Amino acid sequence: MTDPSTVSSTDETHLRHAIDVARAAREVGNHPFGAILVSGEDIIIEGQNTVVTLGDPTGHAETNLVRIAATLLARDALQSSTLYTSAEPCAMCSGAIYWAGIGRVVYALPGEELAAMVPSQDGAATLNLPCREVFARGSNTITVAGPALLAEAAEVHAGFWDARR
């Protein structure tokens, strides 16, 4: 049995899909973040960042996905699912993941590397708080694996943030 806190080749396949969702978000003018929810081997929900197109600062890929998942899936289904995301969930998204009861998170780009690319957003400094720290403060166990596929995950951000500094 594979250790759920390590990134497997199957996890990498799903992370690449999340990175593709991030690319799609960027192509329509949003910040380049994407997430998918997997149950067993099936992708059941995709979420992309909608901060720019919807004018909602909470429209992160993970929170958008959690809003959909929480309305469609029972708590036990969420607990047995894995959320794959192109970048480490921020504190807000980690809270949403925690409250939804999703049992496992696998991410590509670590928050500290993202923060180095994005020193500010709309004039405000980024909030660099690792998801493991957020999850550790709760009583529910959420398994975290990552970072992984750093070069692929960083590529979708190439040049994007330069124009926003």
Side-chain angles (χ1 to χ4, degrees), residues 54-109:
L54 294 183
D56 177 1
T58 68
H60 293 195
E62 299 90 344
T63 55
N64 287 338
L65 183 148
V66 166
R67 284 183 191 110
I68 296 166
T71 62
L72 297 177
L73 302 171
R75 182 91 174 169
D76 61 332
L78 290 167
Q79 176 63 38
S80 64
S81 296
T82 299
L83 187 149
Y84 292 89
T85 182
S86 62
E88 183 173 3
C90 71
M92 175 186 68
C93 293
S94 296
I97 291 163
Y98 177 84
W99 289 113
I102 294 169
R104 182 170 182 252
V105 172
V106 181
Y107 68 88
L109 189 67

Side-chain angles (χ1 to χ4, degrees), residues 18-86:
I19 293 167
D20 286 342
V21 174
R23 192 170 288 106
R26 180 177 178 165
E27 288 171 0
V28 296
N30 285 303
H31 300 167
F33 299 99
I36 63 170
L37 190 68
V38 174
S39 178
E41 291 300 314
D42 298 323
I43 298 169
I44 54 176
I45 299 170
E46 291 184 359
Q48 61 178 248
N49 183 286
T50 57
V51 167
V52 175
T53 56
L54 294 183
D56 177 1
T58 68
H60 293 195
E62 299 90 344
T63 55
N64 287 338
L65 183 148
V66 166
R67 284 183 191 110
I68 296 166
T71 62
L72 297 177
L73 302 171
R75 182 91 174 169
D76 61 332
L78 290 167
Q79 176 63 38
S80 64
S81 296
T82 299
L83 187 149
Y84 292 89
T85 182
S86 62

Side-chain angles (χ1 to χ4, degrees), residues 7 11-13 15-16 19 107-109 147-154:
V7 179
D11 290 332
E12 288 180 347
T13 298
L15 280 175
R16 285 186 178 97
I19 293 167
Y107 68 88
L109 189 67
L149 305 178
L150 277 64
E152 293 175 49

